[in-house]
Amino acid sequence: RRPPRPPNGVLGSPEALTRGRLLAGNVVLSALGWAVPASLGLVCIPLLVRALGPERFGLLAFAWTLVGSFSPFDLGVGRALTQALAARAGRAEEDDSPALVWSAAWLLLALGALGGAAVWVAAPAIAGRWLNVSPGLVPEAVRAFRLLAVAVPLTVVTSGLRGVLEAGQAFRAASALRVPLALFTFVGPLAVHPLHPGLVPAVAVVVAGRLVVCALHAGQVLGRYPALRRPRAVRAGALREFAGAAGWMTVSTLSNPILVTGDRFVLGGALPVAAFAQYAAVTEAASKLGLVGSVLQPVLLPAVAALRAGDPARATRLVDRALRATALAALPPALVLVAFAPEVLAAWLGPALSRGAAPLLQLLAVAYFVNTCAQIPFAALQGAGRADLPAKFHAVEVPLYLGLLWAAVGQFGLLGAGAACALRLAGDAAALCVALPRAWPGAAAVRTRALALTFGGGALLGACALAGPLAVRTGFAVTVLVGGAVAGARWLVTPDERALALAWARQRRGDGGAGRLTAAPGPP
C-alpha cells in the first residue's frame, strides 16, 4: 500500500516511510534496477566494440561519460529536494511540499537549458581540440556531441523527478525506469547499427531514451502524488532553502564528475582514442562494484532524513546495517575481478583490448571496493543534513587529484591514471568514515566499523592481486571467501538479524515457501 498522505502533503507519515519491510524490499528493488542495466552493459560493450570499431566506440564511451555527467547541471537541487521532502515528512510538516517540488522543477528546467547551451557551444572544441580524434571523424563527433546537448535538460529534470520518487520510497517505479534507460543506452546503438551505421545514429538513440525516460518519470510522479498535479509558481522561500541546502550539495555534485570521470577526460586528451577505449572498458567493469552501494544509498538517504530528528538511534542502526551489508556484498565480486583479472578480460573483451590491462583492472577493483563502502557514510551525512562535510572534502580533492592525475598519466600512462584514481578514492573514503560522528552523536558508534570494513577488505583484495600464478590466486580467493563467510556470520550479523533469518527459514519450511514473515524480532 502507498503510505497515507495529508490533503496538502506529498509523502505521508515517517512511520509509513521507514518501515523495516518497506526499506528491505526497496533495497531489493533498487538492486534489480541497477543489475539489469549493468548486465546489459557488460553484454553489449564487446559487441559494440566489434560493430563500431575501437575509435568510434571510444567516442561513444566518451558520449556515455558526457551524458552521465549532465546530472551535475542540477547544482545539487535534486538531492536537496529528496532530503527536504523526507525531512518534512519526518516532522509532519508537508503543507508547503508541493510548492517546493514545483519550484525545484522550474529551477531544474532552467539549469538544464543553460547546460545544454554550454555543451552545444563547446562541441567543436571537445571533438576538434580536446580529444585525439582522427581528422576524418571530427565532423561526425561534433554532430554527435551537439545532439547530446538536447539530452541535458531532460537528464537534469529527470534527476529531480527521481528525487521525489526516492524521497517517498517509491523504488518499484524508480528502479523499473532504469530498465528502459539501459535499453536505449546499450541495446539501442546495437539495434540501430545495421540500418544506420555510425556514431550519430548511436547517440541519437541515447538521446531518444532520455526523452522517453523523462516522460515516464513525470507520469509516475504525477500519478502517485495528486497534490503535485496543479502547477505552482516558483517561490522565493523555496529558492532560498535550495540555496542553503543545495549549496553544499552543489559543490559535491559539481566535483563528482571531475573526481569520477576526470581520469577519462584527461586520458581522452593525452592518449589515442583506442587507448581510451581500453581504459573506458576496464573502468566500466570495475566501477560496477559501486552498484552495491548505489543500491543502498538512495534508500538510506531519505530514511536517515526522516528519522534523524525523531529517532536518531534507529537512524544509527540503519547506517550500521547498511555498512555491513555493503561490505559483505561487494567483497565477493571484487575478489573475482582481482583474482581472475587476466582471464576475465580475455574472455570479455578479447585480445585487442585486454592485452596488458589486468594490473589496471586489479588496481581499480580494489579502489572501487573502497569507494563502494564509502557511499554509505556519504549518504548518511547528506541525509542528516551535513552535506557540507562531503562537499568540503571534494573541494579539496579536486585540485589535488587533477594535478596527481596529469603527472601520473604523463609518467605511467593508463596504470598511472588507475593509481591516481585509487589514491583519491582511498582518501575520500577515510575522510567520510571519520566524519560520521559529526552528523549526529550516535553515529560515532559506526565510525570504527566503517574504517575496519572499508580498509580491511581493501587490504585483503590488494594481497590477492599480489598472489602471483593462477593457482595461488585461486587458493587465496577461496580462502578469503570461506573465511569471510564464517567471520561475517559470527561478527557482522547481529543476534536480532540472525534470529530474523532463522524465523524466516522455519516459516518457509513450515508452509512450503508460500507464507510470509509477519513479525521481525528486534527493532528494524
Side-chain angles (χ1 to χ4, degrees):
R1 297 180 194 171
R2 295 178 187 171
R5 287 183 287 273
N8 296 323
V10 177
L11 303 186
S13 69
E15 293 78 13
L17 293 171
T18 58
R19 294 192 309 267
R21 182 175 294 172
L22 173 68
L23 297 181
N26 283 343
V27 169
V28 175
L29 292 171
S30 183
L32 291 174
W34 283 105
V36 172
S39 302
L40 286 174
L42 292 174
V43 171
C44 292
I45 282 176
L47 301 176
L48 284 167
V49 171
R50 288 193 283 271
L52 295 173
E55 190 166 15
R56 278 192 173 87
F57 171 75
L59 289 170
L60 179 62
F62 189 85
W64 286 339
T65 300
L66 197 59
V67 77
S69 302
F70 289 163
S71 293
F73 282 112
D74 76 351
L75 299 182
V77 173
R79 184 61 65 93
L81 179 62
T82 301
Q83 197 276 339
L85 288 175
R88 277 169 166 73
R91 299 191 303 265
E93 299 173 356
E94 286 205 275
D95 285 346
D96 67 336
S97 290
L100 189 73
V101 173
W102 274 100
S103 296
W106 294 121
L107 180 59
L108 288 170
L109 184 61
L111 292 171
L114 290 174
V119 173
W120 179 279
V121 171
I126 295 172
R129 292 192 291 275
W130 179 256
L131 298 176
N132 288 316
V133 181
S134 299
L137 279 178
V138 169
E140 186 177 357
V142 171
R143 291 196 302 273
F145 293 148
R146 280 189 163 163
L147 189 57
L148 277 178
V150 179
V152 177
L154 300 172
T155 303
V156 171
V157 172
T158 301
S159 73
L161 296 171
R162 177 175 292 275
V164 177
L165 293 174
E166 291 180 353
Q169 295 291 340
F171 279 87
R172 186 181 300 276
S175 300
L177 290 175
R178 293 191 185 277
V179 176
L181 180 60
L183 288 172
F184 277 101
T185 300
F186 297 114
V187 181
L190 270 178
V192 79
H193 180 75
L195 299 174
H196 301 284
L199 180 65
V200 174
V203 172
V205 175
V206 174
V207 175
R210 296 284 167 165
L211 174 61
V212 170
V213 170
C214 183
L216 291 174
H217 275 81
Q220 281 292 326
V221 168
L222 296 178
R224 284 177 171 272
Y225 307 119
L228 299 178
R229 292 175 186 171
R230 182 170 66 86
R232 315 288 178 99
V234 175
R235 276 194 183 178
L239 295 181
R240 283 195 297 270
E241 181 173 350
F242 285 132
W248 287 113
M249 290 187 182
T250 298
V251 177
S252 288
T253 306
L254 292 177
S255 302
N256 190 62
I258 301 174
L259 296 172
V260 173
T261 60
D263 49 357
R264 277 165 272 187
F265 280 98
V266 170
L267 287 169
L271 298 175
V273 174
F276 173 82
Q278 183 187 53
Y279 187 85
V282 172
T283 305
E284 185 72 19
S287 65
K288 288 297 179 279
L289 292 171
L291 297 180
V292 177
S294 298
V295 162
L296 285 165
Q297 187 185 120
V299 181
L300 185 65
L301 188 152
V304 169
L307 288 171
R308 175 177 171 260
D311 195 351
R314 188 172 171 215
T316 300
R317 290 196 298 271
L318 282 176
V319 175
D320 181 66
R321 182 172 293 178
L323 275 167
R324 290 180 281 116
T326 299
L328 288 173
L331 186 61
L335 195 60
V336 169
L337 289 180
V338 171
F340 308 109
E343 294 75 18
V344 167
L345 286 173
W348 183 45
L349 296 177
L353 281 182
S354 65
R355 190 175 296 111
L360 177 63
L361 177 58
Q362 291 174 320
L363 180 61
L364 290 177
V366 176
Y368 276 102
F369 169 83
V370 170
N371 177 250
T372 298
C373 295
Q375 289 184 48
I376 302 305
F378 178 76
L381 290 170
Q382 289 201 331
R386 293 306 309 268
D388 60 306
L389 295 174
K392 291 171 183 175
F393 301 151
H394 293 159
V396 172
E397 289 170 26
V398 166
L400 296 177
Y401 175 55
L402 289 179
L404 177 63
L405 181 63
W406 189 262
V409 169
Q411 190 70 26
F412 302 106
L414 298 183
L415 197 58
C421 176
L423 287 173
R424 199 277 301 174
L425 292 176
D428 184 65
L432 290 170
C433 293
V434 170
L436 268 175
R438 302 290 297 274
W440 66 94
V446 296
R447 174 181 53 194
T448 302
R449 194 196 298 272
L451 289 168
L453 290 174
T454 300
F455 292 98
L460 281 174
L461 293 171
C464 183
L466 301 174
L470 176 61
V472 179
R473 285 183 275 129
T474 302
F476 191 99
V478 170
T479 302
V480 171
L481 286 175
V482 174
V486 173
R490 182 166 183 178
W491 291 301
L492 295 182
V493 179
T494 67
D496 285 341
E497 293 164 349
R498 196 175 294 114
L500 177 61
L502 290 173
W504 180 84
R506 290 193 197 100
Q507 186 166 335
R508 299 290 288 183
R509 286 198 300 269
D511 62 14
R516 295 173 60 191
L517 187 61
T518 56

